[in-house]
Amino acid sequence: MPPRATDARRAAVLGSPIAHSLSPVLHRAAYDALGLTDWSYGRFEIDEAALPGFIEELGPEWAGLSLTMPLKRAVIPLVDEISETAASVDAVNTVVFTEDGRRIGDNTDIPGMVAALREHGIEQVDSAAILGAGATASSALAALARICSGEVVAYVRSEARAAEMRQWGERLDVDVRTADWGDAREALKAPLVIATTPAGTTDALATAVPERPATLFDVLYDPWPTELAARWSMFGGAVVSGLDLLVHQAVLQVERMTGRSPAPLEAMRHAGEKALAAR
């Protein structure tokens, strides 16, 4: 085993843009709660072109990396192996450096989604709807592959996006039907609605929330609540937030990078809530 240059360990989140990331807040809160006083977690503005050089220059004190857009696919050729979960959606959001110098790519977004839903009592659904068709939507499909026994309807804006979602469904063995975004109000009647679209996109749907909504998983967390989530809560529906997802996927990252389990979920959630309130 090669000796480490120092007993201190480092980790960081990479992406572009990155200034908004809550990952440093969550990971540092975990280190504090776990008593890992010699661990540090930073953030670096890194694009796809700069990523290979950045990774090659990392020393033996590095334990892991969190990756956000646009790096989740760009990193794949730079790791030694990737988990089945990451391979299922061609997306790596976590790289763990082993003591023998190997780089292991993983995806904690998918199990993070499942864990966030489970925390709100959602273990299994017989159907679901997805709003949007971007990278987060494919992760949502992968999560639904674990908990949904029936059809998933994806509401999208173009036939190209519709074709992509159907292809992801075939790859993930999920029964996917696509529908036009103009009919997205119908999605709100599903037992589980996962909104994966950018801020403001679902605002116009807020007035269509049914009288007895089921569960909404809105992956946004800033600003929060979205108009759709606020209306959903007002009508008594269950709401899972983007912060829930962020915390649960970060919990898994901390456990993989530090080897300590369980990670301090509540301490991390509190730190995230405090940071968002300060914004």
Side-chain angles (χ1 to χ4, degrees):
M1 180 188 309
R4 291 179 183 150
T6 171
D7 287 336
R9 305 306 310 278
R10 297 183 67 183
V13 60
L14 315 181
S16 182
I18 201 61
H20 68 286
S21 176
L22 278 181
S23 291
V25 170
L26 302 181
H27 284 252
R28 290 168 188 168
Y31 298 164
D32 287 344
L34 293 169
L36 299 175
T37 57
D38 55 350
W39 282 66
S40 64
Y41 190 99
R43 100 177 87 210
F44 294 89
E45 181 86 16
I46 300 291
D47 61 16
E48 293 156 295
L51 183 62
F54 181 90
I55 289 181
E56 286 302 321
E57 293 176 3
L58 299 180
E61 72 276 16
W62 282 84
L65 298 170
S66 306
L67 299 159
T68 185
M69 298 306 289
L71 305 179
K72 293 184 180 183
R73 289 186 178 161
V75 76
I76 292 176
L78 307 177
V79 298
D80 296 301
E81 66 179 83
I82 65 174
S83 67
E84 288 185 13
T85 301
S88 72
V89 290
D90 290 337
V92 166
N93 79 325
T94 308
V95 176
V96 175
F97 300 103
T98 65
E99 291 187 345
D100 62 1
R102 289 173 59 76
R103 306 164 183 163
I104 311 299
D106 200 0
N107 185 307
T108 63
D109 287 331
I110 295 165
M113 283 187 175
V114 174
L117 285 165
R118 184 176 295 123
E119 185 180 37
H120 285 76
I122 307 300
E123 299 276 354
Q124 194 78 24
V125 291
D126 56 15
S127 63
I130 295 178
L131 299 173
T136 305
S138 61
S139 291
L141 267 183
L144 289 171
R146 304 184 181 192
I147 67 166
C148 183
S149 59
E151 183 182 68
V152 176
V153 184
Y155 291 82
V156 300
R157 293 189 180 277
S158 70
E159 179 51 39
R161 289 292 198 179
E164 287 179 11
M165 289 298 283
R166 290 192 294 268
Q167 288 170 0
W168 280 116
E170 291 177 8
R171 179 168 172 172
L172 296 164
D173 196 25
V174 178
D175 180 13
V176 174
R177 177 168 63 85
T178 54
D180 187 83
W181 183 262
D183 297 322
R185 290 172 173 241
E186 292 298 310
L188 309 187
K189 301 173 184 177
L192 172 61
V193 181
I194 304 181
T196 69
T197 52
T201 307
T202 62
D203 288 356
L205 299 178
T207 57
V209 174
E211 288 187 5
R212 295 182 180 178
T215 300
L216 169 69
F217 191 162
D218 194 325
V219 302
L220 297 174
Y221 63 84
D222 187 17
W224 186 262
T226 63
E227 289 191 26
L228 180 61
R231 183 87 169 182
W232 202 275
S233 294
M234 186 173 72
F235 278 68
V239 175
V240 186
S241 74
L243 182 61
D244 292 322
L245 168 59
L246 193 66
V247 170
H248 277 282
Q249 67 82 27
V251 160
L252 296 170
Q253 288 185 334
V254 168
E255 292 174 351
R256 285 157 171 70
M257 292 179 191
T258 67
R260 301 282 292 273
S261 182
L265 172 67
E266 290 308 321
M268 295 168 71
R269 190 200 313 276
H270 176 71
E273 290 171 345
K274 184 177 179 181
L276 285 176
R279 292 182 180 181

